[in-house]
Amino acid sequence: MPKNYTYDDAGVNRKQRVDSKRHLSLLQETYCQSIFGMVLKLPYGNIFPLGQDRYLDLVIEGVGTKVLVAQLIKKFDTIGIDAVAMAVNDVIRSGAKPLAVVDNIHAQESNPDLVKNWLVGVVKGAIESGCPVTGGEIGDVAEIINGLNGNTGFDLVIASVGIVNKNSIITGENINSGDPIIGLASSGLHSNGISLARKILFKQWGGKYEPTDIPEGLDREIGLEVLEPTKIYVKSLLELVSKVKVKAAVHITGDAYTKFNNLTRTSPGIGFRFDHFHPQPIFSLMQKTATEIGFSLSDEEMFKTFNMGWGFGVIVSKSDFDEAIRILGRTGVEAGVIGEVTDKQTVEIIYNGKRMFLT
């Protein structure tokens, strides 16, 4: 029987990550230091007050091992979009409007051509997000970061700050059984699960394909498919929250659909059923390729790791569903129902006629 390949096998120990995150409670010792009042805890991070009725949401994010794919195919002008997207898509979960981003690039060397390409992507992402790049830093750290196949190694991190009025905060409260969950389509893998995808798909890391191969089901080279930038949802979500009461907003990234469990912190006693998926071909290609190289990549693992075609999720009341779909459609994003909230306190996935429960 083929080995069931998991994120652990790709080098990401989920249990250890959970254990490590428990130490984040230490940060609460600092919450009283805000000069305007206490930090407000939300399901996906915390925001802090700026005066009486406004809050700031500050997020820092990176693109992880997707930078290795950029090195593999020698294409560097899109990875900055990913970095911006990961940060601003997190900021909007609270209902905040991103105000600015800053970048931090650590590299073996600050090669001028590479710096230009990195920043081209950052600028594209910032413009799409509607906010300026107000600063940044590039550090030459050759003793820390190594490149791939003679290419310059680098890591790219973006921080973003956003602002939200107190009465517009998306708190994750008052979610009820029967509330619909709306998905906003992804552009593909985005910037999560890349460690697993690389080791299944690319010969460089023990997988099947050269980056220039075009596997059956794809219409372009697989390197370009994996490097497709993360979609930015800022304008779509901000337009939606200006017209409709959004109960929760979820950036479907690390831990994928299990991430919805965070909402039980503010709305206890709920669960989630997801049953509408139309994932891009790259996802089924990974499962097929895993089988061809002697592994099994289960549906459960896919839904624990990847967005499976939906990069962002929002929860609204039934009465607001039709209007929400119309608004999102007018913003140019593909949107549709993923599933609904339940009272079963589980994350249930129905896919290809199979029922799964994620833990």
Side-chain angles (χ1 to χ4, degrees), residues 250-263:
V250 183
H251 189 194
I252 303 173
T253 57
D255 301 322
Y257 291 86
T258 63
K259 198 163 194 165
F260 280 80
N261 272 327
N262 286 29
L263 297 176

Side-chain angles (χ1 to χ4, degrees), residues 151-297:
N151 292 303
T152 298
F154 70 99
D155 187 29
L156 179 53
V157 173
I158 289 282
S160 179
V161 64
I163 191 167
V164 59
N165 291 329
K166 185 176 181 179
N167 60 3
S168 299
I169 297 170
I170 300 175
T171 64
E173 297 173 316
N174 302 314
I175 299 173
N176 301 307
S177 179
D179 285 342
I181 308 170
I182 298 173
L184 283 63
S186 72
S187 55
L189 288 176
H190 283 187
S191 299
N192 294 96
I194 302 298
S195 291
L196 192 158
R198 285 186 298 107
K199 293 174 183 181
I200 293 294
L201 295 175
F202 294 109
K203 285 184 179 179
Q204 174 72 35
W205 296 287
K208 179 177 179 179
Y209 297 106
E210 297 291 350
T212 53
D213 290 343
I214 304 177
E216 183 179 356
L218 299 187
D219 57 7
R220 58 178 169 175
E221 296 175 0
I222 192 166
L224 293 174
E225 184 70 29
V226 173
L227 203 62
E228 176 67 27
T230 304
K231 192 167 183 62
I232 293 173
Y233 301 103
V234 172
K235 294 177 181 177
S236 295
L237 187 73
L238 293 181
E239 178 65 17
L240 180 63
V241 299
S242 72
K243 304 287 198 315
V244 167
K245 174 64 177 176
V246 173
K247 296 185 176 185
V250 183
H251 189 194
I252 303 173
T253 57
D255 301 322
Y257 291 86
T258 63
K259 198 163 194 165
F260 280 80
N261 272 327
N262 286 29
L263 297 176
T264 61
R265 300 175 187 174
T266 45
S267 292
I270 60 170
F272 309 92
R273 182 175 66 249
F274 301 96
D275 54 11
H276 285 73
F277 295 98
H278 305 285
Q280 292 90 348
I282 187 67
F283 296 104
S284 59
L285 176 65
M286 275 192 292
Q287 290 184 285
K288 177 175 178 288
T289 304
T291 300
E292 292 169 347
I293 62 175
F295 296 112
S296 172
L297 188 53

Side-chain angles (χ1 to χ4, degrees), residues 17-321:
R17 282 166 57 88
V18 170
D19 291 343
S20 296
K21 286 181 179 180
R22 292 194 178 101
H23 296 303
L24 295 177
S25 61
L26 293 171
L27 304 181
Q28 296 180 30
E29 297 177 23
T30 71
Y31 289 176
C32 62
Q33 302 302 312
S34 175
I35 63 173
F36 291 114
M38 285 297 292
V39 167
L40 179 60
K41 298 173 67 175
L42 297 177
Y44 302 101
N46 307 308
I47 58 178
F48 56 98
L50 178 68
Q52 185 173 359
D53 296 316
R54 294 187 298 175
Y55 283 79
L56 293 179
D57 192 335
L58 177 62
V59 168
I60 186 166
E61 267 288 356
V63 292
T65 66
K66 196 168 185 176
V67 299
L68 296 177
V69 181
Q71 291 179 51
L72 183 67
I73 70 172
K74 297 180 172 62
K75 181 174 173 57
F76 303 99
D77 61 346
T78 63
I79 198 74
I81 301 174
D82 287 282
V84 172
M86 295 300 290
V88 296
N89 286 346
D90 276 2
V91 165
I92 59 177
R93 297 174 304 185
S94 66
K97 173 181 172 53
L99 296 177
V101 299
V102 295
D103 64 75
N104 188 336
I105 303 171
H106 281 172
Q108 276 184 295
E109 60 175 344
S110 50
N111 177 290
D113 290 335
L114 287 177
V115 170
K116 178 182 178 181
N117 277 283
W118 295 330
L119 294 183
V120 162
V122 171
V123 169
K124 285 181 180 178
I127 290 173
E128 188 173 345
S129 306
C131 57
V133 181
T134 57
E137 178 180 335
I138 298 176
D140 288 38
V141 289
E143 292 179 281
I144 299 176
I145 293 182
N146 295 310
L148 179 71
N149 297 340
N151 292 303
T152 298
F154 70 99
D155 187 29
L156 179 53
V157 173
I158 289 282
S160 179
V161 64
I163 191 167
V164 59
N165 291 329
K166 185 176 181 179
N167 60 3
S168 299
I169 297 170
I170 300 175
T171 64
E173 297 173 316
N174 302 314
I175 299 173
N176 301 307
S177 179
D179 285 342
I181 308 170
I182 298 173
L184 283 63
S186 72
S187 55
L189 288 176
H190 283 187
S191 299
N192 294 96
I194 302 298
S195 291
L196 192 158
R198 285 186 298 107
K199 293 174 183 181
I200 293 294
L201 295 175
F202 294 109
K203 285 184 179 179
Q204 174 72 35
W205 296 287
K208 179 177 179 179
Y209 297 106
E210 297 291 350
T212 53
D213 290 343
I214 304 177
E216 183 179 356
L218 299 187
D219 57 7
R220 58 178 169 175
E221 296 175 0
I222 192 166
L224 293 174
E225 184 70 29
V226 173
L227 203 62
E228 176 67 27
T230 304
K231 192 167 183 62
I232 293 173
Y233 301 103
V234 172
K235 294 177 181 177
S236 295
L237 187 73
L238 293 181
E239 178 65 17
L240 180 63
V241 299
S242 72
K243 304 287 198 315
V244 167
K245 174 64 177 176
V246 173
K247 296 185 176 185
V250 183
H251 189 194
I252 303 173
T253 57
D255 301 322
Y257 291 86
T258 63
K259 198 163 194 165
F260 280 80
N261 272 327
N262 286 29
L263 297 176
T264 61
R265 300 175 187 174
T266 45
S267 292
I270 60 170
F272 309 92
R273 182 175 66 249
F274 301 96
D275 54 11
H276 285 73
F277 295 98
H278 305 285
Q280 292 90 348
I282 187 67
F283 296 104
S284 59
L285 176 65
M286 275 192 292
Q287 290 184 285
K288 177 175 178 288
T289 304
T291 300
E292 292 169 347
I293 62 175
F295 296 112
S296 172
L297 188 53
S298 69
D299 289 341
E300 289 90 341
E301 189 66 26
M302 295 295 290
F303 282 96
K304 286 181 179 180
T305 308
F306 300 105
N307 66 63
M308 297 299 283
W310 300 111
F312 206 89
V314 296
I315 298 176
V316 299
S317 295
K318 280 184 178 180
S319 58
D320 290 324
F321 173 78

